[in-house]
Amino acid sequence: MKHLLKMLDLSQQEIFEILDLADKLKYQTRHGIPHPILQGKTLGMIFQKASTRTRVSFETGMYQLGGYPLFLSANDLQIGRGEPVQDTARVLSRYLDGIMIRTFEQKEVEDLAEYGSIPIINGLTDFCHPCQVLADLLTIREYKDTFDGLKMCYIGDGNNMANSLIVGGLKVGMEVSVACPDNYQPDEKVMEFTKGYDCFSITNSPVKAAENADVILTDVWSSMGMESEIEKRKLAFAGYQVNDEVMEAAHADAMVMHCLPAHRGEEITEKVFEAHAAEIFDEAENRLHAQKAVMVKLMMPSEA
Ligand code: CP
Ligand code: NVA
């Protein structure tokens, strides 16, 4: 594993190795056991979109690992004035030990990896959000002990979260059901991937998708960069909400998760959100531990 560009690239074994290492690092973090595995290493963090969790968890995680994180706003880099990503990749590779990038196009992340010579971590693109889904899988395994026999259900936009959850959920062995409106389906590459799995289903009915689910996930109706479509999307997604009706269809002990930020009253009701705040904020915490595992695996593989 040289980079973390998308869940499609990871094997089941690599996912489990990341989760196992994340468990170990979480234990060390919680118990105040120092783990300066990346001492002397530097991570550049390029942000072309806003972030709370990704920025703070990567920055803190790198500090806890003994390394140094550099926040690089795209507005301040020459990349924001048109310097090609291919050149940026080759320059930054001379200074840094790794790059985390949050941007729009997946191709930009893939180009960084192709032209640079250091590990690249995808901190969210329009196509996918692998760091979030690794944290989500870590959280599910913490609550349920196993993925075997579990059904994961995603309700809402067939966006970056849907794309990564479908691939991640299927790769670790869960049944995956999705409810999306017709015009907002997951990416074609992801739908192609699901063809190898009998335990994948997609429908227009949130209640049907949620039947006997063990984990229900959702995400905002309008992702970053889609601000001009907000009103149109509110109409298209009306009904694609995690609410009491959906929860009644799921198993009584079903978890509810949300990558955050959440829009209460849109993709999830206030009541369901608050009833499942424990899982949702454990999920947010697990960004830190999962990403520390990813950084160690990529930047100091001998310790992973
Ligand atoms: N879930 C997530 O990636 O949050 P941020 O946009 O705050 O980083
Ligand atoms: N789908 C959302 C996820 C935010 C973490 C977005 O891309 O804005």
Side-chain angles (χ1 to χ4, degrees):
M1 181 179 163
K2 280 163 68 180
H3 306 284
L4 176 62
L5 306 181
K6 52 189 180 297
M7 292 303 291
L8 282 167
D9 297 338
L10 296 184
S11 67
Q12 186 191 64
Q13 188 186 335
E14 285 170 329
I15 296 172
F16 281 116
E17 283 171 9
I18 293 167
L19 301 186
D20 292 347
L21 180 56
D23 280 340
K24 186 173 147 196
L25 293 168
K26 181 169 183 173
Y27 179 88
Q28 292 176 337
T29 308
R30 286 277 183 96
H31 290 82
I33 302 168
H35 43 282
I37 304 166
L38 297 184
Q39 200 153 30
K41 304 269 183 194
T42 310
L43 178 80
M45 309 187 305
I46 303 175
F47 282 91
Q48 307 247 29
K49 291 176 176 171
S51 169
T52 297
R53 281 143 288 269
T54 305
R55 176 179 175 181
V56 178
S57 56
F58 265 105
E59 201 160 326
T60 308
M62 194 58 184
Y63 173 76
Q64 291 176 355
L65 288 165
Y68 184 74
L70 279 99
F71 173 72
L72 304 167
S73 161
N75 294 334
D76 301 333
L77 294 174
Q78 295 286 11
I79 208 169
R81 294 180 56 245
E83 183 169 14
V85 71
Q86 295 89 331
D87 296 355
T88 306
R90 284 177 283 190
V91 171
L92 293 182
S93 294
R94 303 290 180 109
Y95 307 137
L96 301 169
D97 299 291
I99 296 174
M100 191 288 305
I101 178 165
R102 164 168 289 198
T103 189
F104 295 87
E105 285 183 37
Q106 179 69 17
K107 185 173 183 312
E108 203 174 329
V109 179
E110 307 270 347
D111 281 352
L112 265 186
E114 186 181 339
Y115 287 89
S117 54
I118 54 174
I120 306 298
I121 301 171
N122 183 341
L124 180 144
T125 59
D126 292 345
F127 174 62
C128 66
H129 198 0
C131 291
Q132 180 69 54
V133 168
L134 289 168
D136 294 359
L137 295 175
L138 188 66
T139 314
I140 293 167
R141 199 173 70 166
E142 273 177 6
Y143 274 76
K144 301 285 185 188
D145 291 330
T146 177
F147 297 116
D148 294 341
L150 294 187
K151 177 177 173 182
M152 170 198 273
C153 162
Y154 174 86
I155 295 172
D157 189 14
N159 61 10
N160 42 15
M161 279 306 300
N163 289 335
S164 296
L165 283 167
I166 292 167
V167 176
L170 291 174
K171 281 197 174 185
V172 298
M174 284 188 280
E175 181 183 344
V176 177
S177 64
V178 173
C180 294
D182 282 340
N183 295 332
Y184 298 93
Q185 302 271 307
D187 190 272
E188 274 174 26
K189 283 190 285 298
V190 170
M191 293 307 291
E192 188 61 35
F193 170 81
T194 65
K195 286 186 183 157
Y197 292 85
D198 291 340
C199 54
F200 174 77
S201 60
I202 187 158
T203 167
N204 296 138
S205 163
V207 170
K208 191 164 182 305
E211 271 168 18
N212 300 319
D214 300 285
V215 190
I216 307 265
L217 296 111
T218 187
D219 187 17
V220 290
W221 292 343
S222 295
S223 287
M224 289 181 278
M226 297 172 181
E227 287 74 13
S228 65
E229 297 179 26
I230 287 175
E231 292 310 318
K232 184 177 116 186
R233 283 172 166 266
K234 275 186 186 166
L235 295 176
F237 286 98
Y240 287 82
Q241 184 186 61
V242 178
N243 53 26
D244 285 347
E245 197 190 352
V246 161
M247 293 312 297
E248 270 160 34
H251 278 145
D253 63 351
M255 299 171 68
V256 174
M257 296 171 67
H258 194 307
C259 63
L260 303 175
H263 289 198
R264 293 163 169 82
E266 293 188 7
E267 76 275 3
I268 189 165
T269 60
E270 169 87 20
K271 184 178 165 202
V272 173
F273 184 95
E274 290 302 336
H276 293 273
E279 294 107 270
I280 292 169
F281 292 102
D282 279 342
E283 176 188 10
E285 177 186 336
N286 281 338
R287 292 293 303 279
L288 173 69
H289 309 299
Q291 288 159 195
K292 283 169 74 179
V294 169
M295 289 191 283
V296 169
K297 245 185 115 42
L298 294 177
M299 294 163 72
M300 193 57 91
S302 59
E303 296 284 333

